[in-house]
Amino acid sequence: MNTRLGTIVIAAALAVSTASCAANTDTTELEGGEQLVAAEKLTVCTHLPYEPFQFQEAGEVVGFDVDLMDLVAEELGVEQTIVNTPFETIETGQAMSTGKCDIAAAGMTITEERARVMDFADPYFQATQALLVKKGSGFDSLESLSGETVAVQANTTGKAYAEENAPDDVELKTFEDLALLTSAVKTGDVAAGVNDNGVLYDFAEQNPDTEVTAEFDTGEEYGFAVAKDGNDALLDTVNEVLEKAKSDGTYEEIFRKYFPDAELPDFVN
């Protein structure tokens, strides 16, 4: 999918880094009360790749989440720094609570379980689960995959949905990231894959030998997240930036850059 149409001015420079799991208790406090683990930087944890939300292109990390976090960094007057970390450390809240990053931006669905270990900003994207298969395979539902192997991604709502709804004789094969999951479908190592619709439609458009044949209406919403009870001021700033972007057309411009044919979320209309 040629999702990167048009130009958006990015005010914050990007850097991909790795960080240790040791807790970082030193923070910098901005005038608005926002706590940052590194001076003059908004440190953002994500898990690569998750195209088109965050992925590497020409040596840089780009994507829908990245562009929105750039708006937050610009509002704070700092640069965005991206830390690639296992998704498990994000969805458990560990990445923020140990001071590895200030905020998580990882195409992450807001759930009650996750909200117990981290604080979410207002929703910024709507999603549902979908089924990716080889084109012409005939698989168009979980029921049609009886006796087959289905790929899921570790620690995701897609995995939870497949575990709850797939027939008992379907074998679920868990992959660490989206790229491994989609590759397994493309090569025929598995009969299908379950993940969020946005990323699977993006993959299918770039790989016409695959297709999305079903969606499962899970009514999910993505949210950026900070440490539980640890950074209310940053959370407020994120919400203010998102609200402004939704009202002044900036959100729609970024959305169309990555999802040119998709419907805007309800909260923008």
mmCIF file of all heavy atoms in Angstrom, residues 107-135:
data_model
loop_
_atom_site.group_PDB
_atom_site.id
_atom_site.type_symbol
_atom_site.label_atom_id
_atom_site.label_comp_id
_atom_site.label_asym_id
_atom_site.label_seq_id
_atom_site.Cartn_x
_atom_site.Cartn_y
_atom_site.Cartn_z
ATOM 1 N N GLY A 107 0.387 1.000 18.754
ATOM 2 C CA GLY A 107 -0.818 0.411 18.203
ATOM 3 C C GLY A 107 -1.507 -0.468 19.226
ATOM 4 O O GLY A 107 -1.942 -1.575 18.909
ATOM 5 N N MET A 108 -1.621 0.037 20.455
ATOM 6 C CA MET A 108 -2.066 -0.793 21.582
ATOM 7 C C MET A 108 -3.533 -0.537 21.914
ATOM 8 O O MET A 108 -3.953 0.600 22.156
ATOM 9 C CB MET A 108 -1.191 -0.514 22.803
ATOM 10 C CG MET A 108 -1.566 -1.308 24.042
ATOM 11 S SD MET A 108 -0.300 -1.241 25.332
ATOM 12 C CE MET A 108 -0.131 0.533 25.571
ATOM 13 N N THR A 109 -4.309 -1.620 21.947
ATOM 14 C CA THR A 109 -5.717 -1.535 22.296
ATOM 15 C C THR A 109 -5.884 -1.237 23.779
ATOM 16 O O THR A 109 -5.193 -1.814 24.625
ATOM 17 C CB THR A 109 -6.427 -2.849 21.950
ATOM 18 O OG1 THR A 109 -6.355 -3.073 20.532
ATOM 19 C CG2 THR A 109 -7.891 -2.822 22.364
ATOM 20 N N ILE A 110 -6.816 -0.348 24.085
ATOM 21 C CA ILE A 110 -7.161 -0.054 25.474
ATOM 22 C C ILE A 110 -8.020 -1.195 26.006
ATOM 23 O O ILE A 110 -9.071 -1.512 25.443
ATOM 24 C CB ILE A 110 -7.937 1.269 25.568
ATOM 25 C CG1 ILE A 110 -7.099 2.432 25.018
ATOM 26 C CG2 ILE A 110 -8.353 1.551 27.009
ATOM 27 C CD1 ILE A 110 -7.880 3.728 24.868
ATOM 28 N N THR A 111 -7.575 -1.830 27.071
ATOM 29 C CA THR A 111 -8.353 -2.892 27.711
ATOM 30 C C THR A 111 -8.388 -2.640 29.219
ATOM 31 O O THR A 111 -7.534 -1.930 29.769
ATOM 32 C CB THR A 111 -7.747 -4.284 27.466
ATOM 33 O OG1 THR A 111 -6.477 -4.377 28.142
ATOM 34 C CG2 THR A 111 -7.545 -4.551 25.975
ATOM 35 N N GLU A 112 -9.358 -3.236 29.893
ATOM 36 C CA GLU A 112 -9.461 -3.083 31.347
ATOM 37 C C GLU A 112 -8.217 -3.636 32.044
ATOM 38 O O GLU A 112 -7.717 -3.047 33.006
ATOM 39 C CB GLU A 112 -10.712 -3.797 31.859
ATOM 40 C CG GLU A 112 -12.017 -3.135 31.456
ATOM 41 C CD GLU A 112 -13.221 -3.816 32.071
ATOM 42 O OE1 GLU A 112 -13.019 -4.740 32.899
ATOM 43 O OE2 GLU A 112 -14.350 -3.440 31.726
ATOM 44 N N GLU A 113 -7.724 -4.763 31.554
ATOM 45 C CA GLU A 113 -6.548 -5.373 32.167
ATOM 46 C C GLU A 113 -5.333 -4.460 32.047
ATOM 47 O O GLU A 113 -4.586 -4.255 33.020
ATOM 48 C CB GLU A 113 -6.258 -6.719 31.506
ATOM 49 C CG GLU A 113 -5.066 -7.451 32.116
ATOM 50 C CD GLU A 113 -4.830 -8.799 31.472
ATOM 51 O OE1 GLU A 113 -5.546 -9.151 30.512
ATOM 52 O OE2 GLU A 113 -3.914 -9.509 31.940
ATOM 53 N N ARG A 114 -5.118 -3.892 30.884
ATOM 54 C CA ARG A 114 -3.985 -2.998 30.698
ATOM 55 C C ARG A 114 -4.161 -1.699 31.472
ATOM 56 O O ARG A 114 -3.182 -1.128 31.968
ATOM 57 C CB ARG A 114 -3.789 -2.717 29.206
ATOM 58 C CG ARG A 114 -3.300 -3.925 28.420
ATOM 59 C CD ARG A 114 -3.366 -3.713 26.918
ATOM 60 N NE ARG A 114 -2.872 -4.885 26.201
ATOM 61 C CZ ARG A 114 -3.007 -5.072 24.900
ATOM 62 N NH1 ARG A 114 -3.617 -4.149 24.161
ATOM 63 N NH2 ARG A 114 -2.528 -6.160 24.328
ATOM 64 N N ALA A 115 -5.394 -1.221 31.578
ATOM 65 C CA ALA A 115 -5.657 0.024 32.293
ATOM 66 C C ALA A 115 -5.386 -0.114 33.787
ATOM 67 O O ALA A 115 -5.241 0.894 34.487
ATOM 68 C CB ALA A 115 -7.101 0.472 32.063
ATOM 69 N N ARG A 116 -5.272 -1.331 34.272
ATOM 70 C CA ARG A 116 -4.925 -1.522 35.679
ATOM 71 C C ARG A 116 -3.442 -1.294 35.946
ATOM 72 O O ARG A 116 -3.039 -1.061 37.089
ATOM 73 C CB ARG A 116 -5.326 -2.935 36.133
ATOM 74 C CG ARG A 116 -6.825 -3.117 36.314
ATOM 75 C CD ARG A 116 -7.135 -4.372 37.095
ATOM 76 N NE ARG A 116 -6.895 -5.576 36.316
ATOM 77 C CZ ARG A 116 -7.832 -6.195 35.591
ATOM 78 N NH1 ARG A 116 -9.056 -5.703 35.533
ATOM 79 N NH2 ARG A 116 -7.549 -7.290 34.915
ATOM 80 N N VAL A 117 -2.612 -1.363 34.887
ATOM 81 C CA VAL A 117 -1.162 -1.230 35.088
ATOM 82 C C VAL A 117 -0.566 -0.026 34.367
ATOM 83 O O VAL A 117 0.648 0.193 34.423
ATOM 84 C CB VAL A 117 -0.430 -2.517 34.656
ATOM 85 C CG1 VAL A 117 -0.825 -3.678 35.552
ATOM 86 C CG2 VAL A 117 -0.717 -2.844 33.188
ATOM 87 N N MET A 118 -1.393 0.750 33.680
ATOM 88 C CA MET A 118 -0.926 1.962 33.009
ATOM 89 C C MET A 118 -2.103 2.903 32.826
ATOM 90 O O MET A 118 -3.258 2.502 32.933
ATOM 91 C CB MET A 118 -0.281 1.633 31.657
ATOM 92 C CG MET A 118 -1.231 1.072 30.620
ATOM 93 S SD MET A 118 -0.404 0.477 29.116
ATOM 94 C CE MET A 118 0.055 -1.198 29.626
ATOM 95 N N ASP A 119 -1.817 4.177 32.570
ATOM 96 C CA ASP A 119 -2.868 5.162 32.338
ATOM 97 C C ASP A 119 -2.916 5.500 30.849
ATOM 98 O O ASP A 119 -1.897 5.868 30.257
ATOM 99 C CB ASP A 119 -2.596 6.435 33.137
ATOM 100 C CG ASP A 119 -2.808 6.234 34.632
ATOM 101 O OD1 ASP A 119 -3.606 5.354 34.999
ATOM 102 O OD2 ASP A 119 -2.170 6.957 35.422
ATOM 103 N N PHE A 120 -4.096 5.386 30.265
ATOM 104 C CA PHE A 120 -4.274 5.639 28.839
ATOM 105 C C PHE A 120 -4.753 7.065 28.571
ATOM 106 O O PHE A 120 -5.572 7.609 29.321
ATOM 107 C CB PHE A 120 -5.296 4.668 28.241
ATOM 108 C CG PHE A 120 -4.761 3.299 27.967
ATOM 109 C CD1 PHE A 120 -4.980 2.264 28.856
ATOM 110 C CD2 PHE A 120 -4.026 3.047 26.817
ATOM 111 C CE1 PHE A 120 -4.487 0.985 28.608
ATOM 112 C CE2 PHE A 120 -3.527 1.774 26.554
ATOM 113 C CZ PHE A 120 -3.756 0.749 27.451
ATOM 114 N N ALA A 121 -4.255 7.621 27.482
ATOM 115 C CA ALA A 121 -4.800 8.864 26.963
ATOM 116 C C ALA A 121 -6.110 8.555 26.242
ATOM 117 O O ALA A 121 -6.516 7.397 26.115
ATOM 118 C CB ALA A 121 -3.797 9.513 25.998
ATOM 119 N N ASP A 122 -6.778 9.604 25.758
ATOM 120 C CA ASP A 122 -8.008 9.401 24.999
ATOM 121 C C ASP A 122 -7.719 8.571 23.746
ATOM 122 O O ASP A 122 -6.619 8.627 23.191
ATOM 123 C CB ASP A 122 -8.592 10.749 24.577
ATOM 124 C CG ASP A 122 -9.035 11.584 25.762
ATOM 125 O OD1 ASP A 122 -9.313 11.006 26.832
ATOM 126 O OD2 ASP A 122 -9.095 12.820 25.618
ATOM 127 N N PRO A 123 -8.690 7.803 23.267
ATOM 128 C CA PRO A 123 -8.473 6.975 22.068
ATOM 129 C C PRO A 123 -8.052 7.803 20.862
ATOM 130 O O PRO A 123 -8.528 8.922 20.674
ATOM 131 C CB PRO A 123 -9.841 6.324 21.835
ATOM 132 C CG PRO A 123 -10.514 6.355 23.163
ATOM 133 C CD PRO A 123 -10.049 7.626 23.814
ATOM 134 N N TYR A 124 -7.161 7.235 20.048
ATOM 135 C CA TYR A 124 -6.716 7.932 18.838
ATOM 136 C C TYR A 124 -6.931 7.111 17.570
ATOM 137 O O TYR A 124 -6.672 7.597 16.463
ATOM 138 C CB TYR A 124 -5.233 8.316 18.949
ATOM 139 C CG TYR A 124 -4.261 7.152 18.881
ATOM 140 C CD1 TYR A 124 -3.700 6.757 17.661
ATOM 141 C CD2 TYR A 124 -3.898 6.451 20.016
ATOM 142 C CE1 TYR A 124 -2.815 5.694 17.588
ATOM 143 C CE2 TYR A 124 -3.010 5.392 19.954
ATOM 144 C CZ TYR A 124 -2.470 5.014 18.744
ATOM 145 O OH TYR A 124 -1.594 3.948 18.682
ATOM 146 N N PHE A 125 -7.441 5.881 17.714
ATOM 147 C CA PHE A 125 -7.662 5.037 16.535
ATOM 148 C C PHE A 125 -8.679 3.962 16.890
ATOM 149 O O PHE A 125 -8.721 3.490 18.038
ATOM 150 C CB PHE A 125 -6.352 4.383 16.080
ATOM 151 C CG PHE A 125 -6.422 3.715 14.736
ATOM 152 C CD1 PHE A 125 -6.287 4.452 13.571
ATOM 153 C CD2 PHE A 125 -6.627 2.348 14.628
ATOM 154 C CE1 PHE A 125 -6.367 3.848 12.315
ATOM 155 C CE2 PHE A 125 -6.711 1.726 13.392
ATOM 156 C CZ PHE A 125 -6.568 2.483 12.233
ATOM 157 N N GLN A 126 -9.503 3.578 15.906
ATOM 158 C CA GLN A 126 -10.466 2.496 16.088
ATOM 159 C C GLN A 126 -10.051 1.309 15.232
ATOM 160 O O GLN A 126 -9.643 1.483 14.082
ATOM 161 C CB GLN A 126 -11.864 2.970 15.703
ATOM 162 C CG GLN A 126 -12.419 4.017 16.660
ATOM 163 C CD GLN A 126 -13.738 4.595 16.208
ATOM 164 O OE1 GLN A 126 -14.005 4.708 15.015
ATOM 165 N NE2 GLN A 126 -14.574 4.983 17.156
ATOM 166 N N ALA A 127 -10.165 0.123 15.802
ATOM 167 C CA ALA A 127 -9.714 -1.078 15.094
ATOM 168 C C ALA A 127 -10.633 -2.249 15.417
ATOM 169 O O ALA A 127 -11.484 -2.187 16.311
ATOM 170 C CB ALA A 127 -8.281 -1.424 15.484
ATOM 171 N N THR A 128 -10.428 -3.310 14.671
ATOM 172 C CA THR A 128 -11.096 -4.578 14.944
ATOM 173 C C THR A 128 -10.163 -5.682 14.486
ATOM 174 O O THR A 128 -9.132 -5.412 13.853
ATOM 175 C CB THR A 128 -12.457 -4.647 14.230
ATOM 176 O OG1 THR A 128 -13.180 -5.778 14.704
ATOM 177 C CG2 THR A 128 -12.281 -4.742 12.718
ATOM 178 N N GLN A 129 -10.468 -6.902 14.816
ATOM 179 C CA GLN A 129 -9.629 -8.018 14.396
ATOM 180 C C GLN A 129 -10.006 -8.467 12.981
ATOM 181 O O GLN A 129 -11.140 -8.270 12.536
ATOM 182 C CB GLN A 129 -9.752 -9.188 15.369
ATOM 183 C CG GLN A 129 -9.221 -8.883 16.758
ATOM 184 C CD GLN A 129 -7.788 -8.420 16.739
ATOM 185 O OE1 GLN A 129 -6.926 -9.061 16.152
ATOM 186 N NE2 GLN A 129 -7.525 -7.279 17.379
ATOM 187 N N ALA A 130 -9.038 -9.055 12.281
ATOM 188 C CA ALA A 130 -9.275 -9.483 10.902
ATOM 189 C C ALA A 130 -8.503 -10.757 10.604
ATOM 190 O O ALA A 130 -7.621 -11.174 11.388
ATOM 191 C CB ALA A 130 -8.878 -8.369 9.928
ATOM 192 N N LEU A 131 -8.830 -11.363 9.468
ATOM 193 C CA LEU A 131 -8.243 -12.637 9.064
ATOM 194 C C LEU A 131 -7.460 -12.457 7.772
ATOM 195 O O LEU A 131 -8.010 -12.061 6.745
ATOM 196 C CB LEU A 131 -9.357 -13.666 8.851
ATOM 197 C CG LEU A 131 -8.940 -15.132 8.680
ATOM 198 C CD1 LEU A 131 -8.401 -15.690 9.999
ATOM 199 C CD2 LEU A 131 -10.141 -15.970 8.216
ATOM 200 N N LEU A 132 -6.172 -12.743 7.806
ATOM 201 C CA LEU A 132 -5.298 -12.688 6.633
ATOM 202 C C LEU A 132 -5.034 -14.098 6.129
ATOM 203 O O LEU A 132 -4.666 -14.983 6.915
ATOM 204 C CB LEU A 132 -3.973 -12.017 6.992
ATOM 205 C CG LEU A 132 -2.953 -11.898 5.850
ATOM 206 C CD1 LEU A 132 -3.381 -10.800 4.882
ATOM 207 C CD2 LEU A 132 -1.558 -11.607 6.398
ATOM 208 N N VAL A 133 -5.216 -14.330 4.805
ATOM 209 C CA VAL A 133 -5.003 -15.656 4.225
ATOM 210 C C VAL A 133 -4.310 -15.502 2.871
ATOM 211 O O VAL A 133 -4.202 -14.403 2.332
ATOM 212 C CB VAL A 133 -6.346 -16.401 4.028
ATOM 213 C CG1 VAL A 133 -7.071 -16.573 5.351
ATOM 214 C CG2 VAL A 133 -7.238 -15.675 3.020
ATOM 215 N N LYS A 134 -3.849 -16.623 2.335
ATOM 216 C CA LYS A 134 -3.357 -16.637 0.955
ATOM 217 C C LYS A 134 -4.544 -16.409 0.027
ATOM 218 O O LYS A 134 -5.628 -16.952 0.230
ATOM 219 C CB LYS A 134 -2.699 -17.983 0.634
ATOM 220 C CG LYS A 134 -1.383 -18.224 1.352
ATOM 221 C CD LYS A 134 -0.216 -17.542 0.655
ATOM 222 C CE LYS A 134 0.178 -18.267 -0.612
ATOM 223 N NZ LYS A 134 1.389 -17.666 -1.227
ATOM 224 N N LYS A 135 -4.330 -15.605 -1.000
ATOM 225 C CA LYS A 135 -5.412 -15.274 -1.916
ATOM 226 C C LYS A 135 -5.953 -16.546 -2.575
ATOM 227 O O LYS A 135 -5.201 -17.384 -3.058
ATOM 228 C CB LYS A 135 -4.939 -14.300 -2.983
ATOM 229 C CG LYS A 135 -6.069 -13.617 -3.717
ATOM 230 C CD LYS A 135 -5.583 -12.362 -4.386
ATOM 231 C CE LYS A 135 -6.748 -11.522 -4.860
ATOM 232 N NZ LYS A 135 -6.314 -10.233 -5.437
#
